[in-house]
Amino acid sequence: MRLLLVLFLIVPLGEIYLLIEVGSIVGAAATIGLVVLTAVVGAALMRAQGLATLFRARSAMARGEVPALELMEGAVILVAGALLLTPGFITDTAGFLCLIPPLRQRLILAAATLRPTGPTAGHPRRSGRGQRTIEGEYSRRNDFDD
């Protein structure tokens, strides 16, 4: 939660600072032009990458495979598009980095290996007073069953 708070404070401040610095060097019109250009180029790249990923996902499904990697790549491409449409050079750089296929796949691999999946991965379930809940199957037999 703190990381998100820091990101929501630091990134916009960094973007404003960088926009002012670039604007003082190349001028306001050129800075606005650069921001619009990166958004347009980023949208075109995102569209191309998204269509390629969609084609790979359809091919995997046609072969009877689960397109898990393609779905994760699609999510990263979606995040890249949001970053590229956000005005600023820091978010544009992050968005463009997400559109480079080898970097995108490394990002997915790193995210998949960093955290456990599922609600109980790596941790036993605990009930109200700190007792462990052991999952399993059981059957009841009474004396009358023969």
Side-chain angles (χ1 to χ4, degrees):
M1 191 66 166
R2 285 185 177 173
L3 177 66
L4 286 177
L5 180 64
V6 169
L7 283 177
F8 282 126
L9 289 175
I10 298 295
V11 171
L13 290 174
E15 292 285 13
I16 291 169
Y17 175 78
L18 197 57
L19 286 170
I20 291 170
E21 287 298 314
V22 171
S24 68
I25 295 171
V26 298
T31 303
I32 293 170
L34 280 172
V35 169
V36 171
L37 179 68
T38 57
V40 170
V41 170
L45 282 172
M46 185 188 77
R47 182 176 185 267
Q49 294 278 325
L51 289 173
T53 302
L54 179 64
F55 178 73
R56 286 194 316 274
R58 284 185 178 176
S59 296
M61 286 189 294
R63 291 188 306 268
E65 300 172 356
V66 177
L69 179 63
E70 289 80 8
L71 289 174
M72 289 186 280
E73 282 190 13
V76 174
I77 291 170
L78 186 66
V79 169
L83 289 171
L84 287 166
L85 292 177
T86 303
F89 297 117
I90 297 170
T91 54
D92 287 345
T93 302
F96 280 122
L97 289 174
C98 288
L99 289 179
I100 299 171
L103 291 178
R104 182 173 60 233
Q105 290 169 356
R106 285 192 136 209
L107 177 68
I108 291 168
L109 181 63
T113 57
L114 279 181
R115 57 171 102 155
T117 59
T120 61
H123 303 288
R125 278 194 193 160
R126 298 203 178 256
S127 58
R129 295 188 184 172
Q131 298 176 354
R132 288 188 178 182
T133 300
I134 300 173
E135 294 184 26
E137 295 182 19
Y138 71 95
S139 63
R140 228 179 191 172
R141 299 183 86 192
N142 20 351
D143 295 334
F144 305 112
D145 290 339
D146 286 322

